[in-house]
Coordinates of all heavy atoms in Angstrom, one line a residue:
R1 N 22.7 -1.1 5.3 CA 21.6 -1.5 4.4 C 20.7 -0.3 4.3 O 20.4 0.4 5.2 CB 20.9 -2.7 4.8 CG 19.8 -3.2 3.9 CD 19.2 -4.5 4.4 NE 18.5 -4.3 5.6 CZ 17.2 -4.0 5.7 NH1 16.5 -3.7 4.6 NH2 16.6 -3.8 6.9
Q2 N 20.2 0.0 3.0 CA 19.2 1.1 2.8 C 17.9 0.7 3.4 O 17.4 -0.4 3.1 CB 19.1 1.4 1.3 CG 20.3 1.9 0.7 CD 20.8 3.2 1.2 OE1 19.9 4.1 1.5 NE2 22.1 3.4 1.3
L3 N 17.3 1.6 4.3 CA 16.1 1.3 5.0 C 14.9 2.0 4.3 O 15.1 3.0 3.6 CB 16.2 1.7 6.4 CG 17.4 1.0 7.2 CD1 17.5 1.6 8.6 CD2 17.1 -0.5 7.3
S4 N 13.7 1.5 4.5 CA 12.5 2.2 4.1 C 11.4 1.9 5.1 O 11.6 1.2 6.0 CB 12.1 1.6 2.7 OG 11.8 0.2 2.8
L5 N 10.3 2.6 4.9 CA 9.1 2.5 5.8 C 8.6 1.0 5.8 O 8.2 0.5 6.9 CB 8.0 3.4 5.4 CG 8.1 4.9 5.7 CD1 7.0 5.7 5.2 CD2 8.2 5.0 7.2
D6 N 8.7 0.3 4.7 CA 8.1 -1.0 4.6 C 8.9 -2.0 5.6 O 8.3 -3.0 6.0 CB 8.2 -1.6 3.2 CG 7.2 -0.9 2.3 OD1 6.3 -0.3 2.8 OD2 7.5 -0.9 1.0
D7 N 10.1 -1.6 5.9 CA 10.9 -2.5 6.9 C 10.3 -2.5 8.3 O 10.6 -3.3 9.1 CB 12.3 -2.0 6.9 CG 13.0 -2.2 5.6 OD1 12.7 -3.2 4.9 OD2 13.9 -1.4 5.2
Y8 N 9.5 -1.5 8.6 CA 8.9 -1.4 9.9 C 7.4 -1.4 9.9 O 6.7 -0.9 10.8 CB 9.4 -0.1 10.6 CG 10.9 0.0 10.7 CD1 11.7 0.5 9.7 CD2 11.5 -0.6 11.8 CE1 13.0 0.6 9.9 CE2 12.9 -0.6 12.0 CZ 13.6 0.0 11.0 OH 15.0 0.0 11.1
M9 N 6.8 -2.0 8.8 CA 5.3 -2.1 8.7 C 5.0 -3.6 8.5 O 5.8 -4.3 8.0 CB 4.8 -1.2 7.6 CG 5.0 0.3 7.8 SD 4.6 1.2 6.3 CE 2.9 0.8 6.0
D10 N 3.7 -3.9 8.9 CA 3.2 -5.2 8.5 C 3.0 -5.3 7.0 O 2.1 -4.6 6.5 CB 1.9 -5.4 9.3 CG 1.3 -6.8 9.1 OD1 1.7 -7.5 8.1 OD2 0.5 -7.3 9.9
V11 N 3.8 -6.0 6.4 CA 3.8 -6.0 4.9 C 2.4 -6.5 4.4 O 1.9 -5.8 3.4 CB 4.9 -7.0 4.4 CG1 4.9 -7.0 2.8 CG2 6.3 -6.5 4.8
N12 N 1.8 -7.5 4.9 CA 0.6 -8.0 4.4 C -0.5 -7.0 4.6 O -1.3 -6.7 3.7 CB 0.2 -9.3 5.1 CG 1.2 -10.4 4.8 OD1 1.7 -10.5 3.7 ND2 1.4 -11.3 5.7
A13 N -0.6 -6.4 5.8 CA -1.6 -5.3 6.1 C -1.4 -4.1 5.2 O -2.4 -3.6 4.7 CB -1.6 -5.0 7.6
A14 N -0.2 -3.7 5.1 CA 0.1 -2.5 4.2 C -0.3 -2.8 2.7 O -0.8 -2.0 2.1 CB 1.6 -2.1 4.3
T15 N 0.1 -4.0 2.3 CA -0.3 -4.4 0.9 C -1.8 -4.4 0.7 O -2.3 -4.0 -0.3 CB 0.3 -5.8 0.6 OG1 1.8 -5.7 0.7 CG2 0.0 -6.1 -0.9
A16 N -2.5 -5.0 1.7 CA -4.0 -5.0 1.6 C -4.5 -3.6 1.6 O -5.5 -3.4 0.8 CB -4.5 -5.8 2.8
L17 N -4.0 -2.7 2.4 CA -4.5 -1.4 2.4 C -4.3 -0.7 1.1 O -5.1 0.1 0.6 CB -3.9 -0.6 3.6 CG -4.4 -0.9 5.0 CD1 -3.6 -0.2 6.0 CD2 -5.9 -0.6 5.1
R18 N -3.1 -0.8 0.6 CA -2.7 -0.2 -0.7 C -3.6 -0.8 -1.8 O -4.1 0.0 -2.7 CB -1.3 -0.4 -1.0 CG -0.3 0.3 -0.1 CD 1.1 0.3 -0.6 NE 2.0 1.0 0.3 CZ 2.9 0.4 1.2 NH1 2.9 -0.9 1.2 NH2 3.6 1.1 1.9
N19 N -3.9 -2.1 -1.8 CA -4.8 -2.6 -2.8 C -6.2 -2.1 -2.7 O -6.9 -1.9 -3.7 CB -4.7 -4.2 -2.7 CG -3.4 -4.8 -3.1 OD1 -2.6 -4.2 -3.9 ND2 -3.1 -6.0 -2.6
A20 N -6.6 -2.0 -1.4 CA -8.0 -1.5 -1.2 C -8.1 0.0 -1.6 O -9.1 0.4 -2.2 CB -8.3 -1.6 0.3
I21 N -7.0 0.8 -1.4 CA -7.0 2.2 -1.9 C -7.1 2.2 -3.4 O -7.8 3.0 -4.0 CB -5.8 2.9 -1.3 CG1 -5.9 3.1 0.2 CG2 -5.6 4.3 -2.0 CD1 -4.6 3.6 0.8
K22 N -6.3 1.3 -4.0 CA -6.3 1.3 -5.5 C -7.6 0.9 -6.0 O -8.1 1.5 -7.0 CB -5.2 0.4 -6.0 CG -5.0 0.4 -7.5 CD -3.8 -0.6 -7.9 CE -2.5 -0.1 -7.3 NZ -1.4 -1.0 -7.7
A23 N -8.2 -0.1 -5.4 CA -9.6 -0.6 -5.9 C -10.6 0.5 -5.7 O -11.5 0.7 -6.5 CB -10.0 -1.8 -5.1
A24 N -10.5 1.2 -4.5 CA -11.5 2.3 -4.3 C -11.3 3.5 -5.3 O -12.3 4.1 -5.8 CB -11.3 2.9 -2.9
E25 N -10.0 3.8 -5.6 CA -9.8 4.8 -6.6 C -10.3 4.4 -8.0 O -10.9 5.2 -8.7 CB -8.3 5.1 -6.7 CG -7.8 5.8 -5.5 CD -6.2 5.9 -5.5 OE1 -5.6 5.3 -6.4 OE2 -5.7 6.7 -4.7
I26 N -10.2 3.1 -8.3 CA -10.7 2.6 -9.6 C -12.2 2.7 -9.6 O -12.9 3.2 -10.6 CB -10.2 1.2 -9.9 CG1 -8.7 1.2 -10.1 CG2 -11.0 0.6 -11.1 CD1 -8.1 -0.2 -10.2
A27 N -12.8 2.3 -8.5 CA -14.3 2.3 -8.4 C -14.8 3.8 -8.4 O -15.8 4.0 -9.0 CB -14.7 1.7 -7.0
E28 N -14.0 4.7 -7.8 CA -14.4 6.1 -7.9 C -14.4 6.6 -9.3 O -15.3 7.3 -9.7 CB -13.5 6.9 -7.0 CG -13.9 8.4 -6.9 CD -13.0 9.2 -6.1 OE1 -12.0 8.6 -5.5 OE2 -13.1 10.4 -6.0
R29 N -13.3 6.2 -10.0 CA -13.2 6.7 -11.4 C -14.4 6.1 -12.3 O -15.0 6.8 -13.1 CB -11.9 6.3 -12.0 CG -10.7 7.1 -11.5 CD -9.5 7.0 -12.4 NE -9.0 5.6 -12.4 CZ -8.2 5.1 -11.6 NH1 -7.6 5.8 -10.6 NH2 -7.8 3.8 -11.7
D30 N -14.7 4.8 -12.1 CA -15.8 4.2 -12.8 C -17.1 4.9 -12.5 O -17.9 5.1 -13.4 CB -15.8 2.7 -12.5 CG -14.6 2.0 -13.0 OD1 -13.9 2.5 -13.9 OD2 -14.3 0.8 -12.6
A31 N -17.3 5.1 -11.1 CA -18.6 5.7 -10.7 C -18.7 7.1 -11.3 O -19.8 7.6 -11.7 CB -18.6 5.7 -9.2

């Protein structure tokens, strides 16, 4: 099976961090 980093990470925590990064980038652009 093809493996990726997500297979060895906490999916919920990683998703929350990626969403937070995306929100911060949007906020930075708006600011």
Side-chain angles (χ1 to χ4, degrees):
R1 186 174 65 88
Q2 296 295 323
L3 301 173
S4 64
L5 282 177
D6 290 338
D7 295 325
Y8 298 92
M9 295 172 60
D10 186 340
V11 178
N12 295 329
T15 302
L17 288 173
R18 292 191 181 102
N19 291 336
I21 292 172
K22 187 179 296 184
E25 290 174 347
I26 294 174
E28 182 182 357
R29 287 197 298 269
D30 293 342

